[in-house]
Amino acid sequence: GFFGATSVGDAGACAPSITVTKALATNRNKNTDQFTVQIRSGSPSGPVVNDTSTSTTTGSGSTVTAGSGTTDVFAASAGTTYYLGESVSGTTILNQYTRTLTCVDQNGLQTGLPTNASAASPVAITPVPGADIRCVLTNSAIPAPALTIDKTADRTWITAADQTINYSFLVTNTGNVPL
């Protein structure tokens, strides 16, 4: 169905709509990290009210596969507070990401929408009649440099004076940033 205004003149008479879409500003910490965008009612932990069939991301690196990671258009009720956020899927640990939310009303009726607002917890939005609110929840992996070092020797025992032991080192970047 169609939600939102058909013209500027009837924008105020229409039910508002909300859409939340996921974006990644960096590669995922793990390619199996996935995110589920959500619109909740009543409270930040209230029931999820959006269609969940396409709300979980698919993809790897910084790519969100087209058609995934979106709530699609949710027909909201004017004056009702909704909470926009996400949950995890796959191997995701949310505190390894910074999260921001930016929303725009396509009809220009809603004021006070978040721009680059912290989304560490769900963000409250109370739509006005006729608003067509489109939000992007963007995650960025928090840099976490790390190395592992494995040392091996060419012998396990020294059996005489002046023997030489040769060591080899394998250094592996186990973090999420180039070193």
Side-chain angles (χ1 to χ4, degrees):
F2 175 80
F3 303 103
T6 56
S7 70
V8 174
D10 69 356
C14 294
S17 63
I18 303 171
T19 305
V20 181
T21 303
K22 170 57 70 188
L24 296 169
T26 63
N27 284 336
R28 293 165 168 84
N29 278 326
K30 296 180 182 161
N31 274 333
T32 51
D33 285 0
Q34 302 299 339
F35 310 89
T36 302
V37 291
Q38 300 172 327
I39 301 171
R40 293 178 177 269
S41 68
S43 73
S45 59
V48 174
V49 294
N50 60 277
D51 178 5
T52 58
S53 65
T54 59
S55 60
T56 300
T57 60
T58 59
S60 61
S62 63
T63 300
V64 175
T65 304
S68 74
T70 181
T71 61
D72 289 324
V73 176
F74 169 70
S77 295
T80 299
T81 300
Y82 297 94
Y83 298 86
L84 313 183
E86 67 185 320
S87 63
V88 298
S89 185
T91 55
T92 311
I93 300 171
L94 272 180
N95 68 4
Q96 294 178 349
Y97 293 86
T98 57
R99 297 163 295 200
T100 59
L101 183 73
T102 296
C103 297
V104 174
D105 176 9
Q106 299 296 304
N107 293 333
L109 301 170
Q110 182 88 31
T111 60
L113 291 172
T115 300
N116 249 358
S118 172
S121 58
V123 176
I125 300 283
T126 305
V128 300
D132 180 11
I133 301 170
R134 311 277 176 98
C135 301
V136 178
L137 200 159
T138 303
N139 289 10
S140 300
I142 296 171
L147 291 175
T148 58
I149 301 173
D150 292 320
K151 177 177 84 171
T152 56
D154 65 348
R155 62 182 70 209
T156 56
W157 298 99
I158 297 175
T159 57
D162 295 326
Q163 281 186 314
T164 301
I165 300 175
N166 294 306
Y167 292 97
S168 296
F169 297 90
L170 175 63
V171 180
T172 305
N173 181 357
T174 55
N176 65 358
V177 294
L179 300 173

